[in-house]
Amino acid sequence: MVDASSLSDAEFLVLEALEHRKALKVQDVMDILDRKTVLPMLKTMLAAELITLQEEVYNTYKPKTDKFISFNVIYQEEEALKALLDSLTRAPKQREVV
């Protein structure tokens, strides 16, 4: 085991937390220490072989999809479209969309 007197307070807190949990995320360490910059300390601990590093790559790409609408084949002709617009006189929002 490591001599606790040679560790800084932050390093000691991280090792204490690792005794209770199998693994910690960097965000967890930031929360425990209430600090935003913990990577230099973690690199020091990694160099001293106090901790090991496990990295995971997540696929966060999500393709962008667009939805398109078009008129039914029935309304492709101008006369049928005009009749549709005339029938929508009481529905101004629907008429606006068409």
Side-chain angles (χ1 to χ4, degrees), residues 17-74:
L18 282 171
E19 286 181 7
H20 298 289
R21 291 179 50 190
K22 181 180 173 187
L24 293 172
K25 294 182 180 179
V26 174
Q27 183 64 46
D28 296 335
V29 175
M30 290 168 69
D31 293 340
I32 290 168
L33 300 178
D34 197 28
R35 294 167 75 188
K36 289 189 176 187
T37 54
V38 295
L39 289 179
M41 182 203 56
L42 292 178
K43 283 184 180 181
T44 305
M45 292 177 72
L46 187 62
E49 296 183 354
L50 297 174
I51 58 172
T52 58
L53 181 65
Q54 177 184 355
E55 295 179 293
E56 292 183 27
V57 177
Y58 295 102
N59 187 6
T60 58
Y61 172 74
K62 182 179 178 189
K64 182 179 178 183
T65 57
D66 290 328
K67 294 182 181 182
F68 295 96
I69 59 169
S70 62
F71 284 114
N72 195 331
V73 179
I74 301 168

